[in-house]
Amino acid sequence: MVIRQLPGTSWVFRIKSPVSASISFALHVGYLAVQFAAWAGARVIATTGANGVERAKSAGAQVVLDYSAPDLAQQVLNANGGAPIDQIIEVEFGANIALDAEVIKPNGRIAAYGSAKVMEPTLPFLPLLFKAVTIDIILVYLLTEAERALAIKKTHQALAEGALHCPVEQTFALSDTVKAHEAVEAGARAGAILINCEG
C-alpha cells in the first residue's frame, strides 16, 4: 500500500452517489483513502502487498486482499458477497484497468488519480462499454471552488471526529525540496513526506 499525501484522496468528496453501508468500494490506494472511505460509511475492500495488510485493516478496511494474487478478481467479488463493486478508487489505473473492468458493476464508477506504472493505458473498451462504466480522472489541482470547499470541510470534519491518522515519515527543510521529492519517488514509506516552508 502506498501512502499518498492528503490531497490525493480528494476523490472521496466527489462521489456522485450517496455513501452508505450498502456501497462497496475496492481501493487500490493508500492509507488515508481507506480511512476516508470507512469514515464515510462505505464497505471497503482494499488491495495491498503482503506487508500492508495490518495497516489497511487498522485504517478501516473490512477486507484486505493481496494485489498480486492471480485470482484477485474472484477474491474481490467473493469479498463482496459475489456482487460486483459499486465504485473503485484507483491509484494505478493502467496496471489495474482490466481487473477493474472485470469487477465493477454496471453503471459503476472508477475514480483514478494515478497511473505511474502504465502511463499510456490500454482500455478493455467492450467490457467497460457494456457496463456503461464512468471513468473519473481526479486531479486535486483542478477541483472546482465548490469541490475544494467541500473537500476542506469534510477533511476538517474527519479530523475533528478522530477518523484520520496522518503519519509523517519525514519533514524536510525548504532548501531540501529536491530530497523531499526524491523520497516520495522512492516509495516504500510508512507516512507522508512534508516540507517545512517556514525555515
Side-chain angles (χ1 to χ4, degrees):
M1 176 179 296
V2 178
I3 296 175
R4 300 289 176 187
Q5 57 185 321
L6 189 60
T9 60
S10 63
W11 55 266
V12 82
F13 308 112
R14 295 187 63 188
I15 296 166
K16 294 181 177 72
S17 57
V19 178
S20 68
S22 64
I23 299 292
S24 57
F25 278 89
L27 300 174
H28 306 298
V29 293
Y31 185 64
L32 289 171
V34 172
Q35 291 180 79
F36 269 122
W39 171 72
R43 172 172 171 72
V44 180
I45 302 166
T47 64
T48 182
N51 62 348
V53 173
E54 291 308 315
R55 189 168 183 77
K57 287 180 180 176
S58 73
Q62 286 92 343
V63 178
V64 183
L65 303 172
D66 185 338
Y67 63 69
S68 66
D71 63 339
L72 182 57
Q74 189 59 54
Q75 287 189 37
V76 168
L77 294 173
N78 291 346
N80 201 39
I85 300 297
D86 297 290
Q87 300 191 42
I88 297 173
I89 314 305
E90 185 62 74
V91 73
E92 284 296 347
F93 180 76
N96 294 325
I97 187 57
L99 168 73
D100 295 345
E102 192 172 344
V103 302
I104 194 78
K105 75 172 189 176
N107 295 307
R109 179 170 169 256
I110 301 170
Y113 68 94
S115 192
K117 292 181 181 177
V118 181
M119 293 298 287
E120 296 184 11
T122 299
L123 297 183
F125 184 71
L126 282 180
L128 295 169
L129 171 66
F130 285 105
K131 290 184 175 181
V133 173
T134 297
I135 297 174
D136 192 0
I137 307 297
I138 308 282
L139 183 61
V140 67
Y141 312 111
L142 297 181
L143 293 177
T144 66
E145 281 191 35
E147 289 169 333
R148 186 174 306 280
L150 181 59
I152 291 169
K153 177 183 175 183
K154 291 294 186 180
T155 299
H156 286 178
Q157 184 181 347
L159 286 167
E161 293 178 13
L164 298 179
H165 171 66
C166 305
V168 175
E169 178 80 13
Q170 191 172 356
T171 301
F172 289 85
L174 184 58
S175 59
D176 289 327
T177 298
V178 171
K179 290 180 182 177
H181 282 281
E182 289 171 347
V184 170
E185 291 168 0
R189 294 176 286 111
I193 300 296
L194 303 180
I195 297 172
N196 183 351
C197 296
E198 295 180 351

